[in-house]
Amino acid sequence: MTIQAIQDEIVDEFSMFDDWMQRYEYMIELGKTLPLIEEKYKTEDNIIKGCQSKVWVHAEENNGNIVFTADSDAILTKGIIAILIRVFSNQSPQTILDANTNFIDKIGLKEHLSPTRANGLVSMIKKIKMYALAFNAKNK
């Protein structure tokens, strides 16, 4: 499935909810489905800087695609990273680098987060793109 198709699917899912309390609950549920990072990868190198809660993201290459795992010590943040991993995991480095993240605006996520959480969201995307950049450079 393409990144755009996954993003469209997420936009459709979020449009089913009438209010933001329901959307927060849905994000918390999504967090429970997150492919969890192994304990050995909960290192300083894998922690997202700029998040008020702790978020770890690990990336491995598998058949030319990047597979992400993550975890957070906060349930809502775990839901946010779960959405990003759903979009970007199992995609090629170049596809990740070329992808836009306008689906975040379409679902209204950034505007309904506290400033520190919105900052954390931007930092999570940066980290994912940095992994893609590193794997892309390695494969050239």
Side-chain angles (χ1 to χ4, degrees):
M1 198 179 237
T2 67
I3 286 178
Q4 190 60 55
I6 296 166
Q7 289 178 356
D8 292 344
E9 199 175 78
I10 291 169
V11 170
D12 287 345
E13 289 167 15
F14 272 78
S15 70
M16 291 186 296
F17 300 107
D18 296 327
D19 64 43
W20 266 93
M21 283 315 294
Q22 292 174 321
R23 291 176 184 192
Y24 289 135
E25 287 170 20
Y26 183 61
M27 281 194 289
I28 290 167
E29 286 305 308
L30 289 175
K32 294 176 183 173
T33 68
L34 180 66
L36 287 182
I37 193 170
E38 289 180 46
E39 284 299 315
K40 68 180 178 182
Y41 296 123
K42 285 188 175 182
T43 63
E44 198 59 36
D45 286 344
N46 290 334
I47 207 156
I48 305 282
K49 310 285 188 256
C51 267
Q52 82 182 41
S53 44
K54 287 195 172 169
V55 182
W56 299 268
V57 176
H58 175 69
E60 290 180 4
E61 197 166 18
N62 184 3
N63 296 323
N65 288 340
I66 303 176
V67 177
F68 293 99
T69 55
D71 198 5
S72 175
D73 61 356
I75 57 171
L76 185 60
T77 307
K78 196 181 265 198
I80 294 168
I81 193 65
I83 291 169
L84 295 176
I85 284 183
R86 180 172 155 194
V87 170
F88 294 112
S89 200
N90 294 305
Q91 302 289 338
S92 73
Q94 191 61 54
T95 305
I96 293 168
L97 290 171
D98 293 342
N100 68 51
T101 54
N102 62 359
F103 80 101
I104 291 168
D105 295 328
K106 285 182 185 171
I107 63 175
L109 184 56
K110 208 183 290 182
E111 69 197 49
H112 285 90
L113 294 175
S114 68
T116 50
R117 280 222 168 89
N119 220 20
L121 170 64
V122 171
S123 297
M124 289 178 215
I125 294 167
K126 273 187 190 157
K127 183 79 166 179
I128 287 168
K129 296 260 185 178
M130 289 306 288
Y131 275 124
L133 199 59
F135 282 114
N136 204 30
K138 190 182 87 167
N139 294 334
K140 296 261 180 206

